[in-house]
Amino acid sequence: MHASYGELFQSQRDIELQSLEDTISYYKSPENPHKLSELIYPYWQAPQLFEDSPLFLKSVGIPIVILSNIDRADIQSAIRYNEIPIENVITSEDAKAYKPRPDMFLQALEAYNLKPSEVLHVGDSLTSDIGGAQSTGIQAAWLNRKNKQLPQSFTPDYVVNSLTELLPLLGSK
């Protein structure tokens, strides 16, 4: 995904298919990459929410913007499927770049007329979410659902195991 940027941007689906084609070719497998790729799309379009998500979404008292490396059609489908009351979405397709590049974060700041100091980015990827947000001056909370050890090379502003742990920090009930 690092080479997929600007004019060279490729969608998540295109990257996934190319990767699968390369793997199948390398191992000289008779599998059809297109048929195999089709197996992952329903998950992207209709993922199950984590247990803490509905309470967080109901209780958080500030606007939420989703920044996603998943293609726009897939994230929009996931939002509809889970009946998530969020309209503010910026995807890698919109920014023509993937996190951790700063483009998506900067586009969100500009689109919603926000300063980095007014935003808290929450994500589960230390590299894409925490590193990307912090590179633009945005504070970042690492959502560490699996209670992984924090590598010394990362310093998130906050570490939480559940979205609901963020509610007091955000001034929500």
Side-chain angles (χ1 to χ4, degrees), residues 93-161:
E93 286 181 302
D94 300 325
K96 299 289 187 234
Y98 288 94
K99 296 180 282 181
R101 291 188 67 89
D103 307 63
M104 197 182 314
F105 298 97
L106 295 173
Q107 185 172 340
L109 292 172
E110 183 177 331
Y112 300 102
N113 196 28
L114 295 166
K115 298 174 187 156
S117 61
E118 298 173 311
V119 175
L120 174 66
H121 182 78
V122 180
D124 61 0
S125 169
L126 286 167
T127 303
S128 296
D129 292 308
I130 306 310
Q134 289 179 332
S135 75
T136 60
I138 296 172
Q139 285 194 341
W142 180 38
L143 182 56
N144 184 12
R145 293 186 190 278
K146 296 181 180 179
N147 206 25
K148 295 179 184 177
Q149 175 118 3
L150 178 64
Q152 289 183 347
S153 56
F154 290 94
T155 54
D157 298 288
Y158 305 95
V159 178
V160 295
N161 298 108

Side-chain angles (χ1 to χ4, degrees), residues 26-133:
Y26 179 83
Y27 287 104
K28 298 175 178 47
S29 170
E31 294 295 328
N32 180 324
H34 294 275
K35 286 184 180 178
L36 289 175
S37 283
E38 292 293 326
L39 296 175
I40 198 168
Y41 301 151
Y43 171 76
W44 288 353
Q45 296 173 329
Q48 296 301 308
L49 288 181
F50 286 96
E51 190 175 297
D52 60 339
S53 298
L55 177 59
F56 175 80
L57 293 169
K58 179 181 171 185
S59 302
V60 70
I62 58 174
I64 296 173
V65 178
I66 293 176
L67 300 184
S68 180
N69 280 346
I70 295 295
D71 298 343
R72 176 165 281 284
D74 291 324
I75 193 71
Q76 291 295 113
S77 176
I79 289 169
R80 282 190 305 275
Y81 174 80
N82 286 293
E83 299 177 350
I84 298 172
I86 296 176
E87 296 179 15
N88 305 321
V89 177
I90 295 179
T91 70
S92 53
E93 286 181 302
D94 300 325
K96 299 289 187 234
Y98 288 94
K99 296 180 282 181
R101 291 188 67 89
D103 307 63
M104 197 182 314
F105 298 97
L106 295 173
Q107 185 172 340
L109 292 172
E110 183 177 331
Y112 300 102
N113 196 28
L114 295 166
K115 298 174 187 156
S117 61
E118 298 173 311
V119 175
L120 174 66
H121 182 78
V122 180
D124 61 0
S125 169
L126 286 167
T127 303
S128 296
D129 292 308
I130 306 310

